[in-house]
Amino acid sequence: MFRDGHTLTARIGNTAMKVSFQEMGMEDGRSKEPNRQWRLLRAFAEERGIMDWSSRHAHPRNQKQKELLASRLSAFFGIDGEPILTMDRGKRWETVFTIRES
């Protein structure tokens, strides 16, 4: 669950932890602000974990960002397999975890 623009609370099993975009390695090296992967993760939270072409954040440029985000999430949280599935022949992405805004 996103707490604000810079932190989220992640619950894995019975353990909850508060993490920032910096701790997750999602900081833009030049501006020190959240990078595109963090912004895409927030977009998934706004869309409750599902993004399709009707989503206001949908854009073809997000494909590479989605791949980078999936890799970062797998590494940081130790997620086995793909954390963001491609569904309906590429028309929709769906997270395998629950995500939402606060």
Side-chain angles (χ1 to χ4, degrees):
M1 170 174 35
F2 272 84
R3 310 297 296 166
D4 57 39
H6 297 105
T7 60
L8 62 86
T9 300
R11 186 175 314 275
I12 301 168
N14 293 327
T15 304
M17 65 175 144
K18 184 177 170 183
V19 294
S20 69
F21 69 93
Q22 295 101 334
E23 292 170 304
M24 292 184 68
M26 295 189 198
E27 179 180 51
D28 183 299
R30 295 163 291 172
S31 69
K32 305 299 182 196
E33 293 294 318
N35 67 14
R36 288 186 228 166
Q37 289 87 48
W38 182 263
R39 290 193 302 267
L40 185 58
L41 185 61
R42 284 199 69 190
F44 272 109
E46 288 177 22
E47 301 288 344
R48 313 272 279 157
I50 299 172
M51 193 176 300
D52 62 21
W53 286 112
S54 68
S55 303
R56 69 184 187 108
H57 300 287
H59 195 281
R61 289 183 301 199
N62 284 339
Q63 176 63 39
K64 184 62 178 176
Q65 298 308 316
K66 189 272 277 187
E67 293 167 8
L68 294 169
L69 174 60
S71 178
R72 176 70 59 188
L73 293 172
S74 291
F76 189 83
F77 291 112
I79 299 171
D80 291 329
E82 184 65 31
I84 304 171
L85 302 175
T86 301
M87 312 290 282
D88 296 334
R89 298 181 190 183
K91 296 179 183 174
R92 182 180 75 185
W93 293 331
E94 190 170 323
T95 61
V96 298
F97 51 89
T98 301
I99 187 167
R100 66 178 193 270
E101 294 248 274
S102 60

